[in-house]
Amino acid sequence: MDPSSLNSAELQRLISQEKERAVVNEMVAKLTSACWDKCITGTPGSKFSSSESSCLSNCAQRYMDMSIIIMKRFQSTQ
Amino acid sequence: MDSNCHFPHLSSGNKFSTEEFIGQLKRQLAQAYAEKFLETVRGKCFEKCITKPGSSLGRGESSCIWRCVERYIEATGIIVLRNSLREFLMAV
């Protein structure tokens, strides 16, 4: 075991990987919460109706589209 | 993260391994995600299923909660699936 491994490039790479994963997890959580609110309007059933599942799917994709537009707009005003 | 998250400590003397550190980090992150997920599910399902709190949890309420948890997990899967997030999560 290498005492200097605390500063190694390997450790930094692994930490950075976990950071990225944390960002993605956060995004999935937020997106699921928002899309649930938008799409699941009634009492939860024993399975999703086709409109509920397509709403959820669409919701995620539209959110991504929106993010891109916002980013572009923001960048164009810099 | 809250006060339950403490830094990985040295397991023996001054020897320290990258593996140990990352292992502890992953475990603590996983725990934090799980807690956050549960908190969200509690909120959503309380809202959907306990519309009029009675003196005890009715059977209808219980089965609603059960379905709600399953659906929320399924919803999470749909969100992940419909994104390049899925490829990313598979890759790491």
Side-chain angles (χ1 to χ4, degrees):
Chain A
M1 298 193 203
D2 173 17
S4 71
S5 67
L6 187 52
N7 297 320
S8 73
E10 173 69 0
L11 182 60
Q12 295 310 313
R13 188 186 67 82
L14 289 169
I15 288 174
S16 167
Q17 202 173 70
E18 287 308 315
K19 250 198 231 174
E20 270 186 73
R21 214 196 301 225
V23 166
V24 170
N25 260 286
E26 183 64 34
M27 178 134 155
V28 168
K30 278 213 173 103
L31 212 47
T32 307
S33 175
C35 293
W36 173 274
D37 290 344
K38 283 211 187 288
C39 298
I40 314 304
T41 47
T43 311
S46 42
K47 59 183 178 113
F48 284 136
S49 67
S50 58
S51 70
E52 283 173 326
S53 47
S54 51
C55 178
L56 285 169
S57 178
N58 291 338
C59 176
Q61 292 180 299
R62 296 296 77 72
Y63 190 96
M64 294 305 199
D65 292 345
M66 180 197 71
S67 297
I68 291 168
I69 290 173
I70 289 172
M71 186 111 66
K72 282 184 179 159
R73 196 83 190 92
F74 181 72
Q75 282 170 349
S76 74
T77 62
Q78 293 300 285
Chain B
M1 297 219 202
D2 62 6
S3 58
N4 287 330
C5 177
H6 36 262
F7 293 111
H9 53 273
L10 309 181
S11 63
S12 56
N14 288 321
K15 288 192 179 159
F16 191 88
S17 99
T18 302
E19 237 173 72
E20 262 183 8
F21 183 92
I22 293 297
Q24 285 212 30
L25 180 64
K26 278 182 193 263
R27 272 193 301 278
Q28 287 183 6
L29 282 171
Q31 195 180 336
Y33 299 146
E35 281 171 17
K36 178 141 193 228
F37 182 78
L38 285 174
E39 191 189 315
T40 306
V41 170
R42 279 197 296 267
K44 302 297 185 195
C45 297
F46 188 79
E47 189 196 314
K48 289 275 182 215
C49 298
I50 318 289
T51 43
K52 256 193 143 94
S55 51
S56 68
L57 212 57
R59 208 182 309 167
E61 289 171 323
S62 299
S63 51
C64 175
I65 291 165
W66 189 259
R67 293 192 309 266
C68 176
V69 174
E70 282 190 341
R71 296 288 76 69
Y72 199 84
I73 291 169
E74 196 181 335
T76 307
I78 291 173
I79 302 296
V80 171
L81 190 71
R82 295 297 170 187
N83 287 283
S84 51
L85 293 174
R86 182 171 192 251
E87 282 78 40
F88 180 83
L89 287 173
M90 297 298 218
V92 292

